[in-house]
Amino acid sequence: MTHPSSVAPLFAIISLGAVHFVEKLAIQQGAPPGPFALGQTAVSLLVVAPIWLATRRHRNMEVLRRLPFGSLAIIGIVASGIVVLLSIMALSYTSATHKGVIQASYPLGTMFFAWVLLRERITPVGYAAAAVVVSGLVLMTSHGLGTAPNRGDWILIATVPLMGFSDAYAKKVLSHVSPLTVSFGRYFFGTAFLGLLLSVLDLGVLGDLLPVWHLLLAAGLMTALAMELFYWSIKSIGPSLAAGMLAAAPVVTAALEWWWLDESFLKSQLLGIALVILGVAALSRQRATDDTG
């Protein structure tokens, strides 16, 4: 019988890998990144909110007042606000597969902040795995050392420490609240932040999303599923291991991009993708050993 702790990351992998592809389709069809980021996060909130509210039905207001709203706001603003906006903006310059692979390297940031915030030790295997991941990223984004990473790649690379902090910080919060509460807080505060940002900056209007409403709906639904399962995995198997298992998501993205958009990859890029996946898998295996040892 398949253990639930392995099923949750599997569905998260499929959902997350497909999200990158759907986002790229929307950008190619003219969706403005700012409104799309807001709409996608809002759809995820609309999926999670009714479920969260149903679990709160029999709770008193005192319990609600004890929720760590400040911590949930930090996670939401960083993960579903700043990172979502930057990563969708990056798709105007780079491919969905590049986005997927670079975001698969988030365990590098998670490993660092898990050490800073949670005092999880970093072993020599962890350092070696990090070196392999970085080597893979260099090969993929530089087209085999032939060119420099493009603007979109640099934007995505800048999100690695942001998500690493968010994932490790979420682990601390999950010791007090449920994964569903973290998801709700993430999307609520992410939506509020992006809504405020779009009200003061000229990043486009929501009406421009009408031609891609179906892609917006799909991206929001899959994001909600992926992140809820991801937070469940963080609580059950730890932040580094959960983030490591998501390294396989770029395989889904690359397959969709190759099949649907006729995207081609150099052998050096495929090697880079493989190195990232292998490196994060090694990091995942290390964390599994540490958690049980």
Side-chain angles (χ1 to χ4, degrees):
M1 182 176 179
T2 305
H3 195 275
S5 64
S6 62
V7 172
L10 175 61
F11 281 101
I13 287 168
I14 296 172
S15 298
L16 188 59
V19 164
H20 302 312
F21 172 72
V22 171
E23 291 170 345
K24 180 64 177 180
L25 284 181
I27 296 301
Q28 283 189 334
Q29 294 181 26
F36 192 88
L38 172 59
Q40 178 177 335
T41 305
V43 169
S44 298
L45 175 62
L46 291 175
V47 172
V48 172
I51 304 172
W52 183 81
L53 290 172
T55 66
R56 302 280 115 184
R57 185 181 306 168
H58 303 296
R59 306 290 182 89
N60 56 43
M61 292 304 297
E62 181 62 28
V63 173
L64 293 178
R65 283 195 290 268
R66 292 177 182 173
L67 289 177
F69 288 108
S71 297
L72 294 175
I74 291 173
I75 296 171
I77 291 171
V78 173
S80 286
I82 299 172
V83 170
V84 169
L85 178 60
L86 290 177
S87 63
I88 294 179
M89 290 174 63
L91 287 173
S92 297
Y93 310 99
T94 194
S95 70
T97 299
H98 277 216
K99 177 177 181 289
V101 174
I102 293 173
Q103 291 191 339
S105 69
Y106 283 167
L108 293 180
T110 304
M111 179 178 68
F112 173 77
F113 282 104
W115 170 66
V116 173
L117 299 177
L118 307 176
R119 295 305 176 190
E120 292 187 3
R121 67 191 182 94
I122 302 176
T123 67
V125 173
Y127 287 112
V132 171
V133 172
V134 171
S135 299
L137 288 175
V138 170
L139 279 175
M140 186 204 66
T141 59
S142 68
H143 297 268
L145 304 179
T147 62
N150 61 44
R151 185 185 304 180
D153 293 336
W154 284 120
I155 293 173
L156 290 167
I157 290 170
T159 67
V160 172
L162 294 175
M163 275 306 299
F165 166 78
S166 177
D167 289 345
Y169 194 77
K171 174 63 175 179
K172 293 185 66 175
V173 178
L174 284 166
S175 63
H176 305 290
V177 299
S178 68
L180 183 60
T181 295
V182 174
S183 293
F184 172 76
R186 169 176 175 157
Y187 296 130
F188 177 83
F189 288 106
T191 299
F193 172 78
L194 290 172
L196 178 62
L197 194 65
L198 264 66
S199 70
V200 298
L201 298 179
D202 183 17
L203 298 176
V205 296
L206 291 174
D208 294 335
L209 298 176
L210 289 177
V212 296
W213 68 268
H214 56 297
L215 297 175
L216 178 68
L217 183 61
L221 290 172
M222 287 187 291
T223 298
L225 176 62
M227 290 303 100
E228 174 58 23
L229 293 174
F230 177 53
Y231 282 129
W232 189 92
S233 300
I234 286 179
K235 187 159 188 171
S236 62
I237 60 179
S240 297
L241 180 54
M245 293 187 75
L246 291 184
V251 175
V252 177
T253 309
L256 288 171
E257 226 173 10
W258 168 77
W259 175 64
W260 195 282
L261 301 178
D262 294 324
E263 184 75 22
S264 60
F265 303 96
L266 300 175
K267 291 181 180 179
S268 57
Q269 289 181 291
L270 293 175
L271 175 60
I273 294 172
L275 286 175
V276 171
I277 294 173
L278 289 173
V280 177
L283 180 60
S284 169
R285 184 178 180 85
Q286 174 212 354
R287 295 310 311 156
T289 301
D290 290 346
D291 292 340
T292 59

